[in-house]
């Protein structure tokens, strides 16, 4: 029987031009990792930055099924180095799976290592508790609840609307657990603000600005669920835009302003820009027409795939093509029962979408699909997509970028293995480092 070690070493051998760091990172992102109690945090009272559950659960079990990891949170991210594969510094978002063959634990000498099939493969670094997490808002709320940071502190993630108005089986995206994540945190008695008041966001940003003396935080993302009617009496562009306006007026130029929202009409995209947003993420989720209709029924019903794509292209007139960066959920292309049956078919479809946008100067990016158990696709596909799909996607992504003369998108930190901080996929780890090609070990 093939072990997981056999699988990753086979793929490293077959795709030597893909950094080994990316092979292991993609496997951790698609399948999760387990933690010994010794590797869990003391929540907000310790020296390690805990997982904030900033929008989705990104776990392979519900909170009640995580055991001690639900009471003492795992870290937000880990960083891998060294080991038998000579890994360069690799930042990985934590997705908990108690049944994973990957486990973070003490190696017996007091050092944490990542074990695969009971064999140590990398040293594990934990994110230090940032000073700004140790300070609370005047009303007692934590900065972690209002304005958590991810990507090793690079990005302030502002989920200002914690639920989505695409609701129920006929509207929710079939891979998305935003609404369930809201429900499970409320059921557990955790603070999890549904709509974050603008003044609280500003107060949290002031604390970050005051105590982030090294300037590690460089960008903020405004995001949350889709707005199909109104929130606080405002349609989507004005609802999210009001936060950008307040931040930019208080902290002009301190952070790069980004927004993840629906693909809105051009006038609304212009409103985002006028409010101070500089990077727009109108996520297209999955390229294939049939799968988009099946997996994103609310978006198909309210907007439609073709109109969604037209709006993405229109927004490039507002922000400039380089600053329009739509995400897709890498792996759902192969989700049963409707997805592609072979890796070849899935890659061909995704490559078509990449070429469609990149040939127009727009650079999509992707998040590696985590099959969360409360979602329809997560329940029917607990193993996610094959690792080979994810490795070949890195290959075609970089090749399509190079063929269209594009470079790494702005607002994601540095590219290149050993440099990248983007933690929810390996696309930045696999791109050329600034100033040249990313070195790949022999």
């Amino acid at each position: 029987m093939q072990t997981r070690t056999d699988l990753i070493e086979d793929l490293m051998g077959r795709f030597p031009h893909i950094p080994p760091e990316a092979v292991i990172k993609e496997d951790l992102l698609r399948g999760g990792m387990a933690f010994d109690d010794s590797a869990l945090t003391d929540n907000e009272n310790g020296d390690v930055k805990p997982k904030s559950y900033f929008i989705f659960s990104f776990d392979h079990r519900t909170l009640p099924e995580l055991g001690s990891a639900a009471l003492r949170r795992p870290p937000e991210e880990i960083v891998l180095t060294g080991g038998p594969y000579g890994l360069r510094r690799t930042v990985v978002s934590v997705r908990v799976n108690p049944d994973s063959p990957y486990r973070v634990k003490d190696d017996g000498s007091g050092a944490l290592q990542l074990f695969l099939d009971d064999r140590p493969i990398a040293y594990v670094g934990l994110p230090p508790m940032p000073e700004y997490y140790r300070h609370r808002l005047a009303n007692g709320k934590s900065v972690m609840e209002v304005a958590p940071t991810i990507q090793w502190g690079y990005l302030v993630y502002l989920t200002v609307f914690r639920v989505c108005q695409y609701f129920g089986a006929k509207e929710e995206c079939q891979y998305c657990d935003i609404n369930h994540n809201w429900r499970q945190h409320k059921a557990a008695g955790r603070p999890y603000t549904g709509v974050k008041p603008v003044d609280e966001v500003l107060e949290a940003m002031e604390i970050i600005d005051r105590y982030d003396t090294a300037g590690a935080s460089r960008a903020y993302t405004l995001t949350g669920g889709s707005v199909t009617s109104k929130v606080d009496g405002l349609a989507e562009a004005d609802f999210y835009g009001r936060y950008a306006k307040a931040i930019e007026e208080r902290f002009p130029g301190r952070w790069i302003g980004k927004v993840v929202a629906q693909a809105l009409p051009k006038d609304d995209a212009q409103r985002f820009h006028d409010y101070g947003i500089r990077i727009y993420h109108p996520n297209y989720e999955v390229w294939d027409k049939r799968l988009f209709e099946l997996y994103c029924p609310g978006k198909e019903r309210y907007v439609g795939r073709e109109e969604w794509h037209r709006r993405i292209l229109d927004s490039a007139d507002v922000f400039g093509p380089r600053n329009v960066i739509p995400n897709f959920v890498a792996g759902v292309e192969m989700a049963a029962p409707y997805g592609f049956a072979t890796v070849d078919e899935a890659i061909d479809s995704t490559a078509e979408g990449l070429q469609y946008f990149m040939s127009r100067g727009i650079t999509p990016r992707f998040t590696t699909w985590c099959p969360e158990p409360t979602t329809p696709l997560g329940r029917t596909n607990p193993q996610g997509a094959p690792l080979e799909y994810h490795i070949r996607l890195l290959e075609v992504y970089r090749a399509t970028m190079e063929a269209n003369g594009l470079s790494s998108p702005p607002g994601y930190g540095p590219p290149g293995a050993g440099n990248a901080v983007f933690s929810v996929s390996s696309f930045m780890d696999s791109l050329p480092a600034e100033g040249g090609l990313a070195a790949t070990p022999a």
Side-chain angles (χ1 to χ4, degrees):
M1 180 180 295
Q2 185 186 51
T3 66
R4 190 67 69 87
T5 300
D6 293 334
L7 174 64
I8 66 163
E9 291 186 347
D10 174 65
L11 290 168
M12 286 178 182
R14 290 169 54 200
F15 299 93
H17 47 293
I18 300 297
E21 293 85 356
V23 176
I24 291 173
K25 181 171 175 175
E26 286 298 310
D27 205 21
L28 288 167
L29 291 172
R30 79 182 183 101
M33 62 187 87
F35 286 83
D36 273 9
D37 286 354
S38 62
L40 296 174
T41 79
D42 294 318
N43 298 321
E44 292 178 73
N45 301 314
D47 296 324
V48 174
K49 183 185 193 181
K51 182 168 176 171
S52 61
Y53 291 90
F54 51 89
I55 185 166
F56 312 115
S57 73
F58 282 134
D59 284 337
H60 291 252
R61 297 289 184 275
T62 63
L63 276 179
E65 296 171 329
L66 291 182
S68 55
L71 302 175
R72 296 178 58 228
R73 299 189 189 198
E76 185 76 79
E77 296 151 329
I78 60 173
V79 64
L80 304 176
T81 54
Y85 306 113
L87 301 185
R88 291 160 289 185
R89 184 178 186 273
T90 305
V91 180
V92 187
S93 178
V94 165
R95 300 174 172 186
V96 184
N97 181 358
D99 298 326
S100 172
Y102 292 93
R103 179 170 289 273
V104 179
K105 63 181 180 179
D106 191 313
D107 65 5
S109 71
L112 286 182
Q113 290 206 55
L114 178 67
F115 287 72
L116 173 59
D117 298 328
D118 295 322
R119 167 177 167 252
I121 63 166
Y123 286 97
V124 173
L126 303 179
M129 179 71 78
E131 180 61 27
Y132 47 80
Y133 268 24
R134 301 186 187 279
H135 300 269
R136 290 185 173 267
L137 279 62
N139 62 9
K141 287 187 180 180
S142 68
V143 170
M144 186 180 80
E145 157 60 13
V146 178
T149 55
I150 60 172
Q151 297 173 24
W152 219 256
Y154 177 87
L155 180 67
V156 185
Y157 207 93
L158 301 171
T159 310
V160 294
F161 183 39
R162 278 264 177 63
V163 293
C164 181
Q165 290 185 347
Y166 290 136
F167 197 82
K170 294 183 179 179
E171 291 193 355
E172 288 179 353
C173 293
Q174 300 295 288
Y175 47 79
C176 176
D177 80 342
I178 184 173
N179 288 330
H180 173 78
N181 195 40
W182 155 260
R183 290 191 293 268
Q184 74 169 355
H185 282 269
K186 298 303 287 185
R190 293 182 171 186
Y192 212 68
T193 307
V195 178
K196 296 179 180 177
V198 175
D199 61 343
E200 289 185 6
V201 171
L202 282 180
E203 187 179 356
M205 299 296 272
E206 287 173 349
I207 293 171
I208 294 173
D209 183 54
R210 185 183 316 141
Y211 293 102
D212 179 20
T213 55
S217 61
R218 303 289 298 278
Y220 66 83
T221 289
L222 285 163
T223 190
S226 296
V227 177
T228 59
S229 57
K230 292 185 177 181
V231 179
D232 284 353
L234 300 170
E236 187 161 318
D238 290 327
F239 171 74
Y240 286 112
R242 66 179 179 167
Y243 296 92
K245 182 176 186 291
I247 292 169
E248 296 302 326
E249 287 177 350
R250 185 73 62 88
F251 308 100
R254 169 62 176 85
W255 292 280
I256 303 168
K258 308 196 288 183
V259 66
V260 180
Q262 297 191 85
L264 297 175
K266 190 173 184 178
D267 287 349
D268 285 335
Q270 184 64 57
R271 295 178 74 78
F272 278 141
H273 193 273
D274 292 345
Y275 281 128
I277 292 296
R278 292 296 172 261
I279 297 175
Y280 183 32
H281 302 292
N283 300 339
Y284 70 88
E285 315 297 14
V286 63
W287 173 252
D288 181 75
K289 181 179 188 297
R290 181 179 62 94
L291 295 181
F292 182 88
E293 293 169 354
L294 289 167
Y295 294 166
C296 305
K299 291 173 179 174
E300 175 63 24
R301 173 184 169 189
Y302 281 87
V303 181
R305 176 181 178 270
E306 285 69 32
E307 177 63 20
W308 197 282
H309 294 171
R310 277 193 293 271
R311 292 178 180 184
I312 291 175
L313 300 184
D314 285 347
S315 68
D317 294 336
V318 176
F319 290 92
R322 179 167 167 76
N323 297 315
V324 177
I325 309 170
N327 184 68
F328 63 97
V329 185
V332 297
E333 298 91 335
M334 298 197 69
Y338 304 112
F340 294 106
T342 68
V343 172
D344 285 348
E345 292 172 302
I347 289 294
D348 286 347
S349 173
T350 304
E352 181 181 286
L354 292 174
Q355 177 61 21
Y356 177 84
F357 288 113
M358 290 185 180
S359 65
R360 293 162 171 83
I362 293 170
T363 308
R365 53 95 165 177
F366 57 90
T367 299
T368 301
W369 177 38
C370 176
E372 289 121 333
T374 61
T375 65
L377 294 184
R379 284 192 293 270
T380 55
N381 300 269
Q383 303 304 315
L387 181 56
E388 181 177 341
Y389 165 83
H390 293 284
I391 303 312
R392 288 179 58 183
L393 174 60
L394 295 173
E395 180 181 53
V396 74
Y397 183 89
R398 176 166 169 170
T400 309
M401 281 189 66
E402 291 176 347
N404 287 283
L406 301 176
S407 58
S408 61
Y412 286 88
N419 302 316
V421 294
F422 187 68
S423 57
V424 295
S425 84
S426 300
F427 87 91
M428 289 293 288
D429 304 74
S430 303
L431 294 179
E434 291 171 348
L437 294 177
T440 303

